[in-house]
Amino acid sequence: KQEVTQIPAALSVPEGENLVLNCSFTDSAIYNLQWFRQDPGKGLTSLLLIQSSQREQTSGRLNASLDKSSGRSTLYIAASQPGDSATYLCAVSRPPGSARQLTFGSGTQLTVLP
Amino acid sequence: DADVTQTPRNRITKTGKRIMLECSQTKGHDRMYWYRQDPGLGLQLIYYSFDVKDINKGEISDGYSVSRQAQAKFSLSLESAIPNQTALYFCATSDTGTVNEQFFGPGTRLTVL
């Protein structure tokens, strides 16, 4: 059974700091890995998707990396802003047709202080 | 307008009541999913549907049923709600391409008293 772990569960940083969120998974046979942002009262917003054949993806101030062999992914946020405050979830996908489409971690709650 | 919508956004009900949560999407995707999220935990898959005639159980389907009324509509029902079904429920969609990126609705907060 695939298990996804995110450490730390909560993180507080001053504005402007660069930071890294961690995600680890137990089964390296993944199809892709997705990073989401969750704001209170709102749904999940997809930030980045890394396919299993890729090592990283970038979008603006966000960079996600994937190391399948070690079962790890990181989300790097550059020059953090208070608007980045949210819960960040990672999820790994098995190939379409599998019973468990996405397995989620429990998230890292990020607070960026002004 | 949002691509994936859910109704209602909030619902309080009593034990034993039948509840239906609805999801609609305008993304034109064939695949739709229902997840639940408990406080401090990740999302768990309840049911998923690859097209109107293909519905499958997820990890935690007991106590739930679904209906895929059309490509754009996927409903989740709790036949007899119980307090431990109090959670945040999300609907999601994805296309049939190889990427399988999922897009989520805003969620329905359900409280069962």
Side-chain angles (χ1 to χ4, degrees), chain A residues 1-2 6 8 20-21 26 30 38-40 48-49 51 54 64 67 76 81-82 89 93 96 101-102 109 113:
Chain A
K1 176 184 176 182
Q2 177 75 274
Q6 292 185 248
V20 175
L21 306 181
T26 55
I30 65 169
Q38 183 175 19
D39 293 282
L48 290 165
L49 181 147
Q51 298 188 62
Q54 299 173 325
D67 184 341
Y76 175 82
Q81 303 170 357
L89 296 162
S93 173
Q101 290 294 298
L102 282 179
Q109 185 173 0
L113 304 171

Side-chain angles (χ1 to χ4, degrees), chain A residues 41-62:
Chain A
K42 297 185 180 180
L44 278 66
T45 301
S46 180
L47 297 173
L48 290 165
L49 181 147
I50 310 177
Q51 298 188 62
S52 61
S53 59
Q54 299 173 325
R55 292 193 65 84
E56 67 177 326
Q57 283 285 331
T58 298
S59 176
R61 294 183 293 109
L62 305 180

Side-chain angles (χ1 to χ4, degrees), chain A residues 17 19 27 36-37 45 52 61 66 73 78 83 86-87 92 97 110 112:
Chain A
E17 191 165 298
L19 61 99
D27 186 348
F36 293 90
R37 169 183 173 141
T45 301
S52 61
R61 294 183 293 109
L66 174 64
S73 176
T87 297
V92 297
L110 173 65
V112 181

